């Protein structure tokens, strides 16, 4: 990869910083920002400098490492700072599951009473954040390798939203699958759903595919049925925000419509993501609450008003694709095929 | 109606002008422009001051009337001017079927050798353009009345693109059906597909529904599956650009995806339009050529770049919804039900 959504690296003063690509500027500009305190990292998460659930988890982990490295020398005071930093980071985007998960993991490690000095705490915090980073990357690679046999050569692939290195801070999930196939020498072309309202496909996925040298075509979300009717599409692959025990998949709004088009044209539809998104405690997609996002994402584009003043809009962030529309769910643990109730339980058995 | 996409009315100098709403400014501004020569009318069609196939036909008719009224007094010279005006207007948007149809009708009337004076030619041109206008409005009203029994009270209706008075210059087709049901006292609420790339739903349909006092909710095109999964939708109704002999319907890109969502959730899907869009010479939707529009409609929104520089995009203007997904096709001549090959032939029999 030639770019990193987030990195732990030395800053201008030689001390470590958290360096992030400002994703709000992609594709116009590739600009990185260096963060030296946890409050600014929390603000970056809140303001969507970084987005994508796994990438947000990484940012929280590194944010806490920053609090440790730059915090007071007294271990008691440092522990207090860390607790405060974790609370601030957690509040940045309260609905992001990975954010809480990464912070809990960091705090569990740092609660070890054997970490008696500030240096010991600092070292443990940095090591743990880097471990999350490394495991995250490995997970993405395992997803890509598990999916590899499902991608034919000369594949015409349909993709929705953004699931690349920008979204995971690693190798990407669905886009990682595509990238891996490309790197292994398979010819691929990607149809990129632009993904209204936030246009993550048109802005981020198109940019990432350019970086990877993979040919692609951006299309409005409403065009997938037409494209599938008039061209040979080999498969669709998307990410997942939550997978229910029965295989229903919650993902970015528009995923279900793409799955319906795929289904009408016999195109296999895959969802790829870390096994942490498989939630066996959620029986079906009907049990997944759907976040409603601010109306401004619909009423305005790049600050320009689209709808009339006073127009009522609905902005559901996710939809649920019923298990029956999915050919497989791909995780780092392996590939689950229908019937998903059995295959997912088996896959998650060792959890 | 409180507004007219296009009107023939006295201008500031007392002489007739063609007055059009500048639809490029909706919903930000409701501004009308007065045209006093046919070349400016042709430019208005080309620059999309006015759009929508029937409205373009009206503009062409009135543009030719303008050439007659404002043209030279010598009948021979005037006939020459009219021929030139027709050619200029015809070239404004060469793919719009109604434009050519309206011009051919005007020219046929004006070719009458009995029209021996400039005044006779002028009077005939204005009368013919006004006849097209009146028939157009009547056709829209007949469509609305024919569809009326299909709209239940308290209907939750899904709509795509723009099919209102702005698009037809009359009462509207699919949106006219909704408006008529509302005027007759039925409670309706409309889900408005925003309709990327040109956002005719978010911009124009939302504005028209506001003018009509009909409650509505604008949603991204990708949300229809989710909305139908989570809410009771009674029907979808859209316009049509061309209907094949077998009932396949070509309409604005995104229509087919909406039909697939409707089909998955048992929601009846209707297409409404004048019988002139039924083309029995086109056997199936596969025989309908799909216009590809400029990439800038995808890469930019309101002049702001969305996709990365150099990104490849596809911008099909229309898609084809297979007859099997349609519950009925509504025209001013009546309602055609499946099997459409028989019902459309019967409906068009008297043509």
């Amino acid at each position: 990869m030639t770019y990193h959504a987030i990195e732990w690296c030395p800053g201008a003063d030689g001390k470590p910083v958290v360096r992030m690509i400002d994703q709000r500027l992609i594709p116009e500009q590739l600009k990185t920002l260096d963060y030296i305190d946890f409050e600014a990292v929390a603000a970056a998460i809140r303001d969507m400098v970084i987005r994508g659930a796994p990438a947000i988890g990484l940012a929280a982990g590194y944010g806490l490492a920053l609090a440790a490295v730059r915090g007071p020398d007294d271990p008691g005071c440092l522990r207090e700072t860390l607790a405060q930093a974790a609370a601030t980071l957690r509040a940045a985007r309260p609905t992001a599951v990975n954010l809480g998960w990464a912070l809990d993991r960091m705090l569990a490690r740092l609660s070890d009473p054997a970490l008696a000095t500030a240096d010991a705490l600092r070292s443990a915090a940095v090591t743990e954040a880097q471990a999350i980073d490394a495991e995250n990357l490995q997970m993405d690679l395992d997803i890509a390798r598990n999916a590899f046999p499902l991608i034919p050569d000369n594949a015409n692939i349909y993709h929705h939203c953004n699931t690349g290195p920008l979204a995971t801070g690693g190798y990407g999930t669905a886009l990682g699958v595509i990238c891996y196939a490309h790197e292994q020498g398979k010819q691929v072309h990607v149809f990129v759903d632009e993904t209204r309202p936030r246009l993550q496909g048109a802005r981020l996925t198109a940019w990432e595919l350019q970086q990877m040298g993979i040919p692609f075509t951006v299309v409005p979300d409403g065009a997938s049925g037409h494209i599938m009717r008039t061209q040979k599409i080999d498969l669709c692959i998307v990410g997942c925000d939550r997978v229910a025990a029965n295989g229903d998949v919650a993902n970015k709004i528009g995923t279900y419509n793409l799955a319906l088009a795929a289904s009408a044209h016999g195109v296999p539809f895959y969802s790829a993501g870390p096994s942490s998104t498989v939630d066996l405690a959620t029986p079906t997609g009907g049990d997944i609450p759907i976040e409603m996002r601010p109306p401004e994402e619909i009423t305005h584009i790049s600050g320009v008003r689209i709808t009339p003043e006073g127009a009522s809009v609905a902005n559901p962030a996710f939809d649920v694709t019923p298990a029956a529309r999915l050919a497989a769910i791909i995780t780092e643990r392996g590939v689950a095929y229908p019937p998903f109730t059995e295959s997912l339980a088996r896959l998650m058995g060792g959890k």
Side-chain angles (χ1 to χ4, degrees), chain A residues 5 14 34 51 57 84 108 127 188 198 213 234 248 275-276 306 313 335:
Chain A
D34 284 0
R51 28 63 59 195
Q84 187 201 334
T127 304
V188 295
R198 292 186 64 89
D234 296 285
D248 289 354
S275 61
S276 57
I306 303 304
V313 308
V335 180

Side-chain angles (χ1 to χ4, degrees), chain A residues 275-280 331 333 343-351:
Chain A
S275 61
S276 57
T277 58
V278 180
D279 182 5
L280 297 183
T331 76
R333 294 175 175 227
S343 60
L344 287 173
R346 216 162 34 236
L347 210 64
M348 303 302 286
K351 202 174 186 176

